[in-house]
Amino acid sequence: MDLFDSLKNKIDGKNFTIVFPEGNEPRILRAALRLHNESVLKPILIGKKDEIAKVASEYSADLKDITIIDPETYADFDAMVESFVERRKGKNTKEQAEKMLKDNNYFGTMLVYMGKADGMVSGSVHSTGDTVRPALQIVKTAPGSSRISGSFIMQKGDERYMFGDCAININPNAQELAEIAVQTAKTAKLFDIDPKVAMLSFSTKGSAKSDEVTKVAEATEIAHKLDPEVELDGELQFDASFVPSVGAQKAPGSKVAGHANVFIFPELQSGNIGYKIAQRFGGFEAIGPILQGLNKPISDLSRGCNEEDVYKTAILTAALAL
């Protein structure tokens, strides 16, 4: 079954609500209408109603049953400000909170935090920082996670893999890299991938010596302690992790070598390059980044996204709420 058909089946009947802070952006609006018309989920558009209506009129779109919230006129704004100040534990005054919550991303994140939405999708016109910063300040990281990370589903035909971290952490230490591995394995299960996790390096089982190799080897040990059930091995070169004959030669006895489907890169530079090589040279569809490690699902779009990307990311975000 296609990944998104599978995810739609999983969220069917759950009535998940996803908030879109960029409500007057045409790509967002068209995707939200499609999600609503197909009864996949309930969208909430943030923005001024007249501006959103003007964009909708250009596409002859019917907004009759679509929820639109303008922070400037939101009936429960005072309660939201109070909740925000309490959540920030004195880091922001009431006056600061009132100003910050007029920002659509902060406002949308608070709707998720307060349980009025199940997840949020933003980033079509905002930077990653604009989406992630409110999430870290309000939703915060989940228990057991010291930070968030960003994974990609790499899909082509019947092939489906997970790459992480390709979006957030520039140079994670061993503990952080182990957390990323465990987070990505959990995400893989949600998307019908039985995870076999490879901790990637330019070395396989001590074939080279350096601080970079040591970090990956230590991360492998820590990841086993964090989740003893996950099939995970390292450090492994990519060919040893993916090609059975090479894996058997370089890492004999490994259950992962030659059979990996979840690939953990040692730092952001190689992760970002790696997923883009697979996307552009290999013809894989790169779906993500999927933000992992948050208490509630918040998703970041690329500013170069299209309507289809928004549609799929919203479905992924709803699935993360399961």
Side-chain angles (χ1 to χ4, degrees):
M1 182 182 291
D2 174 79
L3 172 62
F4 289 94
D5 287 338
S6 173
L7 293 178
K8 283 193 280 188
N9 283 342
K10 288 181 179 181
I11 66 176
D12 183 48
K14 305 293 185 183
N15 293 319
F16 284 130
T17 300
I18 301 297
V19 59
F20 296 90
E22 302 156 325
N24 62 354
E25 163 55 41
R27 294 165 293 172
I28 298 291
L29 181 55
R30 292 196 299 268
L33 288 167
R34 182 177 165 193
L35 291 160
H36 169 76
N37 293 336
E38 294 177 7
S39 300
V40 176
L41 52 83
K42 295 179 179 178
I44 297 176
L45 300 176
I46 305 302
K48 297 186 180 301
K49 293 186 178 182
D50 57 343
E51 292 180 2
I52 294 173
K54 182 179 178 181
V55 176
S57 68
E58 296 174 6
Y59 303 97
S60 300
D62 183 4
L63 296 176
K64 179 182 176 183
D65 297 317
I66 301 293
T67 300
I68 300 173
I69 301 178
D70 181 353
E72 296 284 351
T73 59
Y74 183 52
D76 294 328
F77 190 78
D78 289 343
M80 179 181 283
V81 169
E82 184 178 335
S83 179
F84 179 81
V85 171
E86 181 181 346
R87 183 61 166 168
R88 295 291 289 150
K89 300 184 185 302
K91 293 179 181 178
N92 294 109
T93 65
K94 178 182 177 183
E95 291 72 22
Q96 289 172 329
E98 289 173 345
K99 182 178 179 180
M100 293 169 74
L101 291 173
K102 296 294 175 66
D103 178 285
N104 287 6
N105 278 318
Y106 273 95
F107 184 89
T109 304
M110 278 300 294
L111 289 181
V112 177
Y113 171 67
M114 296 174 72
K116 298 181 184 297
D118 298 294
M120 186 179 93
V121 175
S122 188
S124 68
V125 295
H126 290 91
S127 70
T128 294
D130 290 336
T131 302
V132 171
R133 192 178 304 109
L136 289 174
Q137 291 177 354
I138 299 168
V139 170
K140 301 188 178 182
T141 55
S145 296
S146 66
R147 61 182 52 217
I148 65 171
S149 61
S151 66
F152 280 82
I153 301 170
M154 306 301 295
Q155 182 171 271
K156 182 171 71 172
D158 293 332
E159 296 180 80
R160 190 180 302 164
Y161 308 102
M162 295 290 301
F163 283 11
D165 176 4
C166 304
I168 302 293
N169 297 286
I170 294 174
N171 189 22
N173 61 31
Q175 176 69 37
E176 293 161 351
L177 193 60
E179 288 183 18
I180 291 167
V182 172
Q183 287 173 349
T184 309
K186 290 179 179 177
T187 303
K189 291 178 182 178
L190 179 63
F191 300 126
D192 300 326
I193 298 172
D194 183 17
K196 292 179 174 56
V197 183
M199 307 293 286
L200 296 179
S201 176
F202 60 86
S203 167
T204 296
K205 299 294 185 178
S207 64
K209 305 293 183 184
S210 78
D211 291 343
E212 291 83 0
V213 172
T214 300
K215 179 181 82 169
V216 178
E218 290 177 352
T220 302
E221 294 180 8
I222 296 168
H224 280 303
K225 293 176 182 177
L226 291 175
D227 189 350
E229 301 299 318
V230 68
E231 287 193 30
L232 178 148
D233 202 3
E235 83 282 4
L236 297 170
Q237 291 162 284
F238 182 80
D239 58 351
S241 72
F242 190 67
V243 182
S245 60
V246 179
Q249 181 183 23
K250 291 188 174 184
S254 172
K255 294 181 179 180
V256 172
H259 306 285
N261 52 20
V262 176
F263 302 93
I264 305 302
F265 294 86
E267 32 69 33
L268 182 59
Q269 184 165 244
S270 57
N272 190 268
I273 293 169
Y275 100 78
K276 290 184 178 180
I277 287 176
Q279 180 185 36
R280 302 300 181 180
F281 277 7
F284 278 82
E285 180 183 11
I287 303 165
I290 301 162
L291 297 185
Q292 307 170 144
L294 287 168
N295 265 317
K296 302 249 184 173
I298 307 286
S299 293
D300 177 42
L301 296 162
S302 164
R303 279 173 283 182
C305 68
N306 57 32
E307 175 189 333
E308 185 70 10
D309 295 329
V310 179
Y311 175 84
K312 288 181 175 179
T313 300
I315 293 171
L316 288 174
T317 306
L320 289 169
L322 287 167

